[in-house]
Amino acid sequence: MRSAKRAAAAALLTVSALAVAGCAAGGGSGSGGDAASCEPAGEDVTLTFTSWIPGIEDAVAMWNEENPDIQVEVQTGPSGNAGTYQNFFNQLEAGNAPDLGQIEYDALPNFRVQDGLVDLGACEDVLAAEDQFLDWTWGQVTLGTEDEVYGIPQDQGPMALFYRSDLFEQNGIPVPTTWEEYREAAVQIRELGGYITNFSDSDINQFAGFVWQAGGQWFENDGDAWTVNLTGEESTTVADYWQDLIENDLVSTYPAWTDEWNNAYNSGEVWTWNSAVWGANSILSGAPDTSGNWSVALAPQWNAGDEKAGNWGGSSIAVFNGTDHLYEAAKFALWLNTSEEALTSLNETAQIYPATTAGLELPVLQEGVEFYGGQPIYDVFAQAATQVDPNFTWGPTMTQTYGDVSDGFKAAAQGNGTLLEALEEGQAATVSTLEAQSIPVAE
Amino acid sequence: MTAVNPAASRRRRGGQDPVSRGPREGVIPRTAAFLVMGVFTLYFLTPIWWLLIASTKDRDDLFSTNPLWFADFRFFENVGALVAYRDGVYLRWLLNSLLYAGVGAVVATLLASMCGYALAKYRFPGRETLFNVVLGGVLVPATALALPLFLLFSQVQLTNTFWAVFLPSIVSPFGVYLSRVFAEASVPDELLEASRLDGAGEIRTFFTVSIRLMFPALVTVFLFQFVSIWNNFFLPLIMLRSEELFPVTYGLYAWNSTINQFPELRTFVLVGSLLSIVPLIITFLLLQRYWRTGLGTGALK
């Protein structure tokens, strides 16, 4: 299966190269979408909506029942980076994109610069909905502009610390609240034969979450040009910190989501995971023998007493250029991501963690979770969600950036080069990719 | 494919070494050959063994028990859960695959055989050019054609339909090539002459006489095409959006791509992968006799 995946990835690369060539030839300017008007169609409308969340049909079925004049048809495919984003670009190129699509926050700027998205700011309802969302999730869809909205936030991944409360307790190690304490605990745990955590070379998103928490900014856009800063002060601090843990064999370096990785958690070799809210499900599934032994705490801080959290993941529902039904599409996207019935359904079928303030209060998110010793863990994530820096921006070529940085991280995990060097290479590669796509770069 | 070679067993009766051809080869090279074969067999079979074992386990046992040996046997529960998941969408995918690959391969074989036969048995201007163009088609990977096909099908609004996957699948340049070679070798011109003298038209001759002589080649073409349509995943990835049209490979890929977020899909992907190779194995076993003779005949001519 893994080789099939690799073949698929290679195939995707081929086609994305073709598609990029196609886009360049098409000469997308990257500035200013159509100033579409947000008027009701006045007739029955059928919208197409692409999402890869299993079970999203249930929520859509509710909508269809209540809105006979605006019917929504669900289309599906693999997760974004596994093919659906490339399909979106192909469809935009061919002029048959769906009306709505699921796009993760880190991919949104890419669609924006390729002129793939409609500005929802033309719809009054959308602008009025801003208050319902957490500041930072709204910031993810406005992309740093005023009154321009390129998607409705759907879910989020505030980060916290999953830890084996039983092991910490038995060995008299205090649960770390700062990154300094975290390192001290790592040393003690290593003496006991375990690892405090696993540093996965493939999860650049996790690392980005650490940088986000530390207050770093990888990208900025002043409306004209992009500033790329993968090697700023905060990124360097985070990179040096983890580099130190890797070099001193204080963390394991299994590739994430593999059997070895699951096994390391299941067998108690690895004690903590700094992960997003959806990680609760991954541990439950990957380390079933440890049921009841896990707890969740707020992430370790860089300065004692700080209250900062990073974010890992989350997505929005965007409306694609070429739609004839902006009004209806926006209406549906708002309903899907703000109404209690839809959010409850999404949480039940796919553990979607909502991006709205009201969503965090859903009754289902207040209960204790058996796997986590009955702890109501979502309280912690709700708190973390309010501590995420609202200004973190993603670049327009994140797939490339992830790829380049991840190559360096893989080498660093095996002792060749450092994480910081990987970031430096990622910086250079990102700048040249932006320039190659005629996206203006500052400095 | 492990079937005993009849020629080898005949030699054994003569008291000769069953594997080695020269009289000088002794025990050591023989053992070495067996060792190499054994290692490779193991290398190819272990993943399938792992898949078989993994699909008999529930999620808890998957990571905590020996990956190459059984734990609690939950195979039927797993299959039941897979079939029940989302109203049996998996079965739908399996049927789709059978439809795309089965019907697609039959039509592709028919078209390829007619084309190859015409190229072999009729003289017309541009014949070699045509053949060379077809031969060039063998060299173009299907993957490279997927995006242009998508743009073409978008123009005529056929994306996300059954036809978007079916139509490209019935084209097999390699099949044309094989059919031509085989028709040249196995359909004698004299027989065609005789058939024409008896008053049969060209079409009737083809369907009643020639196609029978070409049968082993056709089975080979069918098999190749069946397998390549069954495994073709890139075209569906680009063309299809509606779950009810997915072939099983693409459906499983889509599930597999979201395992990080939705770990409960892992068991379904495993059991689904195992079940999805069963039709391939059945097809191979059923047609083995034909395609082995087919390849053999081709090699001798």
Side-chain angles (χ1 to χ4, degrees):
Chain A
M1 197 117 71
R2 213 164 285 155
S3 68
K5 248 173 133 178
R6 199 167 300 151
L12 275 179
L13 275 180
T14 317
V15 165
S16 32
L18 286 170
V20 166
C23 289
S29 66
S31 57
D34 297 328
S37 62
C38 194
E39 300 291 330
E43 54 180 6
D44 286 1
V45 163
T46 301
L47 301 169
T48 47
F49 167 41
T50 301
S51 164
W52 56 86
I53 293 174
I56 204 164
E57 295 88 348
D58 295 353
V60 173
M62 289 180 199
W63 166 271
N64 283 342
E65 194 151 315
E66 288 166 26
N67 298 276
D69 51 336
I70 308 176
Q71 291 292 294
V72 177
E73 201 177 280
V74 176
Q75 306 185 331
T76 191
S79 70
N81 282 316
T84 294
Y85 292 153
Q86 195 52 58
N87 280 341
F88 285 158
F89 284 121
N90 294 344
Q91 289 169 311
L92 285 165
E93 185 77 13
N96 64 0
D99 297 289
L100 301 121
Q102 185 182 358
I103 299 180
E104 287 153 299
Y105 297 136
D106 55 358
L108 211 51
N110 197 355
F111 284 91
R112 166 82 178 90
V113 299
Q114 308 268 11
D115 248 344
L117 305 177
V118 182
D119 173 13
L120 303 176
C123 303
E124 281 170 32
D125 292 358
V126 172
L127 291 178
E130 177 176 352
D131 296 346
Q132 298 183 46
F133 292 88
L134 287 157
D135 282 350
W136 81 265
T137 58
W138 195 253
Q140 292 288 302
V141 296
T142 57
L143 306 178
T145 58
E146 297 240 341
D147 290 346
E148 285 178 30
V149 185
Y150 290 97
I152 306 294
Q154 177 158 71
D155 65 328
Q156 53 170 329
M159 290 170 77
L161 181 69
F162 294 93
Y163 66 99
R164 286 286 299 272
S165 41
D166 60 327
L167 294 176
F168 274 95
E169 202 166 307
Q170 280 160 28
N171 295 289
I173 302 173
V175 178
T177 58
T178 64
W179 287 111
E180 205 180 319
E181 288 173 19
Y182 194 74
R183 192 188 186 284
E184 286 160 19
V187 174
Q188 288 175 288
I189 292 169
R190 193 71 200 102
E191 278 161 10
L192 295 163
Y195 287 105
I196 193 164
T197 193
N198 183 74
F199 186 83
S200 157
D201 49 29
S202 48
D203 290 333
I204 309 309
N205 256 303
Q206 183 193 33
F207 187 86
F210 292 150
V211 173
W212 193 334
Q213 185 207 15
Q217 278 278 8
W218 277 1
F219 293 90
E220 274 170 82
N221 181 9
D222 63 2
D224 293 320
W226 290 83
T227 309
V228 185
N229 189 11
L230 265 61
T231 51
E233 193 188 329
E234 297 84 359
S235 305
T236 309
T237 307
V238 175
D240 288 346
Y241 178 83
W242 288 98
Q243 184 67 35
D244 167 62
L245 292 182
I246 294 170
E247 274 170 15
N248 290 296
D249 188 36
L250 294 173
V251 291
S252 62
T253 51
Y254 300 109
W257 321 111
T258 57
D259 289 351
E260 304 104 284
W261 183 76
N262 281 315
N263 230 334
Y265 279 99
N266 197 34
S267 65
E269 183 189 354
V270 178
W271 289 26
T272 75
W273 189 28
N274 296 278
S275 185
V277 57
W278 43 262
N281 209 17
S282 306
I283 303 182
L284 184 148
S285 143
D289 290 359
T290 58
S291 177
N293 298 335
W294 289 88
S295 297
V296 181
L298 286 172
Q301 301 293 318
W302 286 100
N303 302 304
D306 272 2
E307 290 183 339
K308 290 179 176 170
N311 174 73
W312 181 1
S315 56
S316 64
I317 304 299
V319 178
F320 287 108
N321 253 343
T323 181
D324 295 326
H325 305 296
L326 174 57
Y327 175 84
E328 289 78 8
K331 208 171 162 201
F332 166 71
L334 274 177
W335 174 85
L336 185 68
N337 297 319
T338 57
S339 77
E340 185 170 339
E341 49 178 346
L343 292 178
T344 307
S345 163
L346 288 177
N347 187 273
E348 277 167 4
T349 52
Q351 289 87 43
I352 289 294
Y353 193 68
T356 57
T357 37
L360 303 185
E361 315 273 307
L362 287 182
V364 54
L365 294 175
Q366 311 308 314
E367 294 157 14
V369 184
E370 199 187 318
F371 187 85
Y372 295 90
Q375 185 191 357
I377 58 168
Y378 293 104
D379 289 357
V380 180
F381 289 106
Q383 205 181 335
T386 62
Q387 300 174 355
V388 177
D389 182 346
N391 296 318
F392 194 87
T393 310
W394 299 103
T397 56
M398 283 318 292
T399 317
Q400 164 272 320
T401 304
Y402 289 147
D404 282 313
V405 175
S406 144
D407 287 347
F409 272 26
K410 283 197 176 81
Q414 288 156 8
N416 306 318
T418 65
L419 300 178
L420 190 57
E421 283 166 23
L423 290 174
E424 283 162 1
E425 281 159 29
Q427 164 86 21
T430 303
V431 170
S432 60
T433 307
L434 291 178
E435 282 168 350
Q437 295 189 20
S438 308
I439 300 169
V441 182
E443 287 161 332
Chain B
M1 282 118 276
T2 51
V4 179
N5 183 346
S9 57
R10 233 176 288 127
R11 268 202 306 272
R12 191 182 295 149
R13 242 182 290 128
Q16 258 189 345
D17 188 321
V19 176
S20 68
R21 295 196 169 220
R24 275 156 166 255
E25 283 187 76
V27 177
I28 294 174
R30 233 178 85 190
T31 321
F34 268 115
L35 208 67
V36 170
M37 282 198 297
V39 168
F40 274 95
T41 313
L42 213 65
Y43 179 79
F44 286 119
L45 288 184
T46 310
I48 297 178
W49 176 249
W50 175 84
L51 184 62
L52 191 71
I53 296 293
S55 13
T56 66
K57 293 179 181 175
D58 66 4
R59 234 162 68 197
D60 290 8
D61 285 342
L62 200 58
F63 302 116
S64 50
T65 58
N66 183 346
L68 292 181
W69 198 246
F70 297 98
D72 272 356
F73 192 81
R74 295 284 174 76
F75 181 68
F76 295 106
E77 285 94 327
N78 287 346
V79 173
L82 169 69
V83 169
Y85 182 64
R86 309 257 309 277
D87 303 327
V89 70
Y90 176 80
L91 288 182
R92 175 84 201 221
W93 294 345
L94 214 54
L95 281 177
N96 288 342
S97 271
L98 284 171
L99 196 66
Y100 291 128
V103 181
V106 167
V107 177
T109 310
L110 189 67
L111 292 179
S113 65
M114 295 202 289
C115 184
Y117 174 79
L119 285 168
K121 292 294 161 195
Y122 297 103
R123 316 207 150 270
F124 53 90
R127 182 171 79 147
E128 287 311 309
T129 318
L130 193 65
F131 182 63
N132 288 336
V133 169
V134 173
L135 210 55
V138 177
L139 302 176
V140 182
T143 310
L145 293 175
L147 191 60
L149 277 174
F150 173 76
L151 296 175
L152 278 176
F153 276 72
S154 293
Q155 290 288 315
V156 291
Q157 302 193 339
L158 273 183
T159 54
N160 197 27
T161 61
F162 168 80
W163 302 105
V165 173
F166 184 78
L167 288 180
S169 298
I170 60 175
V171 178
S172 166
F174 178 71
V176 174
Y177 165 75
L178 206 70
S179 300
R180 177 183 174 163
V181 172
F182 205 86
E184 252 162 16
S186 65
V187 184
D189 286 337
E190 295 81 355
L191 205 62
L192 296 183
E193 290 301 321
S195 167
R196 281 177 196 137
L197 283 178
D198 285 346
E202 296 302 321
I203 293 174
R204 193 165 158 206
T205 310
F206 175 74
F207 280 106
T208 53
V209 179
S210 314
I211 211 167
R212 290 181 195 194
L213 295 168
M214 290 168 68
F215 194 66
L218 299 192
V219 173
T220 313
V221 173
F222 173 83
L223 259 179
F224 271 111
Q225 198 61 11
F226 185 86
V227 173
S228 71
I229 300 175
W230 190 276
N231 290 335
N232 185 1
F233 130 93
F234 199 64
L235 189 68
L237 167 71
I238 291 208
M239 292 290 188
L240 301 180
R241 312 280 169 253
S242 303
E243 206 168 46
E244 61 271 16
L245 293 173
F246 287 3
V248 70
T249 41
Y250 180 38
L252 288 173
Y253 173 81
W255 278 356
N256 194 43
S257 74
T258 57
I259 275 183
N260 293 356
Q261 286 162 282
F262 310 106
E264 61 276 14
L265 291 175
R266 185 183 288 270
T267 331
F268 295 151
V269 172
L270 288 172
V271 182
S273 306
L274 182 71
L275 295 186
S276 77
I277 56 175
V278 171
L280 282 184
I281 294 177
I282 292 178
T283 320
F284 255 91
L285 292 182
L286 283 181
L287 299 176
Q288 182 180 205
R289 202 156 52 94
Y290 300 102
W291 75 269
R292 283 178 70 227
T293 43
L295 286 182
T297 323
L300 282 177
K301 295 270 171 169

